[in-house]
Amino acid sequence: MKSNDSYTQYKKMFSDSLLNHFPKEIEHIQNGMVATTNEKKNDIGLLLFESGLKDNEIDSFEKEINSVAIAVYDSKKECLLIVNRYETQETYESYQTVIIPDSVSVEKDCYKGLYPIPNFKRFSYTNSEFDLKKAKIYVLEAKPQKGEGKFKLNPNNQMPNQWKNGYSRGIAIDKEEKTIIYWLVEW
């Protein structure tokens, strides 16, 4: 299956220890994936989207993942700690410097105690399936540290001080759309 060949190649770009929540192979015909290793933009990540799941598959998976998640967020929550939140399609594609409105917006009080999640909207520039509508976002692990050596990243000025570099991994589930998104981001 061609999708599994591409998937295998994408996974080789990242540390195995950060991908152990991803499936070994793509199981669903309706799928999509995006990998990025843009060190200049502090945008390192892999997202695998699978849709067309049956309700009982999603319920079973959600029950399993809920027991190991360190945090669960609603995609519609007003305050989420999003990696590269100020990146736009234009700044990303042209490598422009991102304009941050003010330092207060990076260090909001509501970010305290939250774990970073991907900028799903940024990934939706290349694949609309990554645009979450009514999803639960399960964070499985997040650490504020430089990556494991595969990527050379500078501190990310779009993130609060305690999260200038780090990684986060998890799964998003949109029951209404019958979709699961496995994700890993490093910055």
Side-chain angles (χ1 to χ4, degrees), residues 10-185:
Y10 281 154
K11 289 192 330 184
K12 287 180 181 178
M13 296 163 47
F14 305 95
S15 299
D16 289 340
S17 63
L18 298 178
L19 298 176
N20 61 12
H21 65 294
F22 278 73
K24 291 192 187 319
E25 292 186 337
I26 296 173
E27 299 175 10
H28 296 86
I29 293 170
Q30 293 175 298
N31 67 70
M33 59 195 115
V34 173
T36 179
T37 56
N38 189 338
E39 293 174 336
K40 184 176 179 183
K41 286 289 195 173
N42 274 62
D43 188 25
I44 309 297
L46 177 64
L47 276 78
L48 169 65
F49 151 87
E50 291 188 300
S51 69
L53 283 80
K54 295 182 175 92
D55 287 338
N56 63 339
E57 287 178 299
I58 289 178
D59 290 343
S60 173
F61 190 77
E62 187 174 41
K63 195 178 277 186
E64 179 184 325
I65 208 70
N66 201 27
S67 68
V68 295
I70 60 172
V72 181
Y73 304 124
D74 185 317
S75 65
K76 295 297 180 193
K77 183 178 175 184
E78 204 166 297
C79 184
L80 293 168
L81 183 53
I82 298 170
V83 177
N84 293 331
R85 95 169 33 253
Y86 301 104
E87 196 75 61
T88 66
Q89 185 170 5
E90 182 181 343
T91 61
Y92 191 80
E93 290 174 353
S94 67
Y95 284 90
Q96 290 178 1
T97 301
V98 173
I99 305 298
I100 298 172
D102 59 58
S103 61
V104 174
S105 66
V106 174
E107 296 285 345
K108 286 183 180 178
D109 283 341
C110 68
Y111 295 156
K112 288 183 172 78
L114 296 181
Y115 295 105
I117 62 170
N119 183 343
F120 290 103
K121 185 174 182 170
R122 210 285 301 148
F123 284 96
S124 73
Y125 301 153
T126 55
N127 191 331
S128 63
E129 286 89 359
F130 294 118
D131 192 9
L132 299 178
K133 292 166 183 66
K134 292 182 179 176
K136 290 227 188 252
I137 302 167
Y138 296 85
V139 179
L140 301 177
E141 183 180 23
K143 293 200 175 163
Q145 64 186 33
K146 282 253 188 186
E148 295 185 8
K150 284 197 171 200
F151 304 102
K152 306 284 186 249
L153 301 170
N154 291 317
N156 189 333
N157 66 348
Q158 295 184 56
M159 296 297 288
N161 283 329
Q162 72 273 23
W163 290 106
K164 288 297 183 192
N165 288 106
Y167 71 88
S168 179
R169 61 189 192 90
I171 295 170
I173 299 174
D174 189 328
K175 290 176 99 170
E176 196 171 289
E177 298 291 323
K178 301 183 184 319
T179 300
I180 293 177
I181 300 174
Y182 303 86
W183 53 269
L184 161 67
V185 288

